[in-house]
Amino acid sequence: MAALQSIKQNCKKVMCIGRNYADHVKELNNQRPKQPFFFLKPPSSILLPDEGPVLRPAGVNMHFEVELGLVIGKQVKDIKAEKDEDALQYIDSYLLTIDMTGRNVQEEAKKRGLPWSIAKGYDTFCPIAGPIAKSKITDMHNVEIYLKVNGETKQEDNTELMLFRIPRQLSDISQVMTLEPGDVVLTGTPKGVGPVTSGDVMEAGMRINGKEVEEAHIKVE
Amino acid sequence: MAALQSIKQNCKKVMCIGRNYADHVKELNNQRPKQPFFFLKPPSSILLPDEGPVLRPAGVNMHFEVELGLVIGKQVKDIKAEKDEDALQYIDSYLLTIDMTGRNVQEEAKKRGLPWSIAKGYDTFCPIAGPIAKSKITDMHNVEIYLKVNGETKQEDNTELMLFRIPRQLSDISQVMTLEPGDVVLTGTPKGVGPVTSGDVMEAGMRINGKEVEEAHIKVE
Ligand SMILES: [Mg+2]
Ligand SMILES: [Mg+2]
Ligand SMILES: [Mg+2]
């Protein structure tokens, strides 16, 4: 398991699934996807715990999306994973992540059929915490993730609600792109996303069977 | 100037501009952009000269787009570059690149407001050649790039036709994302893009004042 610092250094892509929790799909008035779809964030968007605040670019309506993250441990292509055990062998460790999104930039891109890379890719738009050892998460589809803004809970749901589970995500991504050690996968956000602005304090965490996971804690302005 | 092998190893993002030559905008029935827009390809899509053919994923209508590539030499943010000299200091060397695109996948994404990352990101979808020393290209906006399919010229135009020039591209990208040494920038494709299928031979090259640049040669199935 690599230290957080070297996870940022070694990361060559951050692959993210969109619309992977039913209630989040509804809240953004999106259609429920028949197939999973994915987008890239650049490694330069990763924000480590000691690197300061999330920076809001001028004119950007910045939304938080708390997500369970995976760090890939092996170079692999064309994974045929069906069970959690099949996926586990490609996972080095877990992260807690926030997929920060320029919502107005994304809405404009969606309307005009343009790429999402800017909306998702600003510097500091991917705060991470961890790593969380594989052994700590006995069931990757039974992890509670939450996010509070200024002390108020905004997101709080269990990864059991994912529409497309992790083995399917890794299979689909790796049919398209070789996964490499250090790559990061963001597994989707539950309902409750919303705006934050400069000065707001976001606090995100993870619970397993009701217990806080100490190393999975993000507190960021 | 790094060897081609280490360019692939060190690359953390491939940032590409869309619709940057007027006649290419027309041929795809797109609108001419008022602002440049960008998208990411993953480093895993880079194909080195000795790594075999471009692989066509099942059901994908694969298009070539020959482009002048830049290798970034410095970590930098918020570049204010107006003249070519301003941009030059951030460039380590040049590449010849092909931005392979799953055109039907991209059209579907555009129609549905979804990300371009898959359409642009398959393994082998970014053949590169070079590096070309900075000293060889006395004017980055006077370079002829061309691409032939099975011996027939399909693309052949000069970088002087770019709508948004390289200083503007680097400025705009670096307002959003820190550029890091080894990052690659694709500067747009001229008119003439089209489909290739398995077995077709693509040959791409670069000329300066009518002279072939030896190291800027891609021949790939
Ligand atoms: Mg997300
Ligand atoms: Mg995209
Ligand atoms: Mg292109």
Side-chain angles (χ1 to χ4, degrees):
Chain A
M1 191 167 72
L4 214 51
Q5 203 83 33
S6 79
I7 286 171
K8 180 170 179 174
Q9 268 157 22
N10 296 331
C11 179
K12 303 198 78 178
K13 58 178 164 287
V14 182
M15 256 316 244
C16 316
I17 189 168
R19 303 180 197 163
N20 200 30
Y21 286 77
D23 288 338
H24 168 61
V25 175
K26 274 191 230 156
E27 74 184 347
L28 291 186
N29 296 315
N30 282 319
Q31 277 194 292
R32 188 162 162 159
K34 290 193 191 83
Q35 305 285 334
F37 74 86
F38 300 90
F39 57 87
L40 291 162
K41 288 170 92 87
S44 48
S45 66
I46 292 176
L47 181 72
L48 299 175
D50 58 355
E51 290 187 311
V54 172
L55 301 171
R56 189 176 71 82
V60 170
N61 175 21
M62 197 165 72
H63 269 214
F64 52 81
E65 303 187 350
V66 69
E67 315 205 1
L68 174 66
L70 318 172
V71 182
I72 299 299
K74 272 187 201 171
Q75 177 157 330
V76 64
K77 200 176 153 54
D78 297 332
I79 293 175
K80 312 257 183 289
E82 287 180 12
K83 299 185 194 147
D84 290 2
E85 306 93 88
D86 302 333
L88 254 185
Q89 61 180 300
Y90 307 110
I91 299 172
D92 174 76
S93 52
Y94 298 94
L95 299 171
L96 183 71
T97 66
I98 310 178
D99 171 21
M100 297 302 300
T101 304
R103 193 67 75 200
N104 57 333
V105 182
Q106 185 198 32
E107 289 303 329
E108 182 69 15
K110 282 162 64 177
K111 219 182 330 178
R112 299 171 57 208
L114 294 178
W116 294 18
S117 302
I118 299 298
K120 293 288 190 176
Y122 293 96
D123 282 356
T124 77
F125 266 37
C126 190
I128 67 174
I132 303 129
K134 278 206 284 191
S135 57
K136 278 231 176 137
I137 297 187
T138 46
D139 180 355
M140 60 179 96
H141 298 105
N142 184 17
V143 176
E144 196 179 42
I145 50 178
Y146 66 86
L147 186 142
K148 301 175 189 188
V149 178
N150 304 327
E152 192 185 325
T153 300
K154 298 290 188 180
Q155 297 190 276
E156 187 173 44
D157 262 317
N158 195 294
T159 56
E160 74 188 346
L161 296 174
M162 285 183 192
L163 297 174
F164 300 102
R165 298 197 148 210
I166 290 166
R168 172 69 186 276
Q169 293 185 44
L170 295 187
S171 291
D172 276 35
I173 295 170
S174 73
Q175 307 301 317
V176 172
M177 301 175 192
T178 297
L179 286 167
E180 298 175 278
D183 283 353
V184 170
V185 175
L186 270 53
T187 61
T189 197
K191 69 178 179 297
V193 303
V196 274
T197 190
S198 312
D200 285 341
V201 176
M202 289 185 285
E203 206 176 333
M206 182 186 287
R207 295 185 199 104
I208 295 170
N209 300 321
K211 259 199 192 155
E212 292 288 332
V213 179
E214 289 301 326
E215 60 273 45
H217 190 255
I218 297 175
K219 188 169 183 172
V220 69
E221 235 180 69
Chain B
M1 192 169 71
L4 214 50
Q5 203 83 31
S6 78
I7 287 171
K8 179 169 180 174
Q9 268 157 21
N10 296 332
C11 179
K12 304 199 77 176
K13 58 178 165 288
V14 181
M15 254 319 241
C16 315
I17 190 169
R19 303 180 197 163
N20 200 29
Y21 286 77
D23 287 339
H24 168 61
V25 175
K26 275 192 229 156
E27 75 185 348
L28 290 187
N29 296 314
N30 282 319
Q31 276 194 292
R32 188 162 162 161
K34 288 191 194 86
Q35 304 286 334
F37 74 86
F38 300 91
F39 57 88
L40 292 161
K41 290 169 90 86
S44 48
S45 66
I46 293 175
L47 181 72
L48 298 174
D50 58 355
E51 291 188 312
V54 172
L55 301 171
R56 190 175 70 82
V60 170
N61 175 20
M62 197 165 72
H63 269 214
F64 52 81
E65 302 187 352
V66 70
E67 314 204 3
L68 174 66
L70 318 172
V71 182
I72 299 300
K74 272 187 201 171
Q75 177 157 329
V76 64
K77 197 174 156 54
D78 296 332
I79 294 175
K80 311 258 183 288
E82 287 179 12
K83 298 185 193 146
D84 290 4
E85 306 93 88
D86 302 334
L88 254 185
Q89 61 180 300
Y90 307 111
I91 299 172
D92 174 75
S93 52
Y94 298 94
L95 298 171
L96 183 72
T97 65
I98 310 178
D99 171 22
M100 298 300 301
T101 304
R103 193 68 75 202
N104 55 333
V105 181
Q106 185 197 32
E107 289 302 329
E108 182 71 13
K110 282 162 63 177
K111 219 182 329 179
R112 298 173 55 207
L114 294 178
W116 293 19
S117 302
I118 299 299
K120 293 287 189 174
Y122 294 95
D123 282 357
T124 77
F125 266 37
C126 190
I128 68 174
I132 303 129
K134 278 206 282 190
S135 57
K136 278 231 176 136
I137 297 188
T138 47
D139 180 356
M140 60 179 96
H141 297 105
N142 184 17
V143 176
E144 196 178 44
I145 50 178
Y146 66 86
L147 186 142
K148 302 176 188 188
V149 178
N150 302 328
E152 191 185 327
T153 300
K154 298 289 187 180
Q155 296 190 276
E156 186 173 44
D157 262 318
N158 195 295
T159 56
E160 74 188 347
L161 296 173
M162 286 185 193
L163 297 175
F164 300 102
R165 297 196 151 211
I166 289 165
R168 171 70 187 274
Q169 294 185 43
L170 295 187
S171 291
D172 276 35
I173 295 171
S174 74
Q175 307 300 319
V176 172
M177 301 175 191
T178 297
L179 286 167
E180 298 175 278
D183 284 353
V184 170
V185 175
L186 270 53
T187 61
T189 197
K191 68 178 181 294
V193 304
V196 274
T197 191
S198 313
D200 284 341
V201 176
M202 289 185 286
E203 208 175 333
M206 181 185 287
R207 294 185 200 105
I208 295 172
N209 300 322
K211 258 198 192 157
E212 292 288 331
V213 179
E214 289 301 325
E215 60 273 44
H217 191 256
I218 297 175
K219 187 168 183 174
V220 68
E221 236 180 68

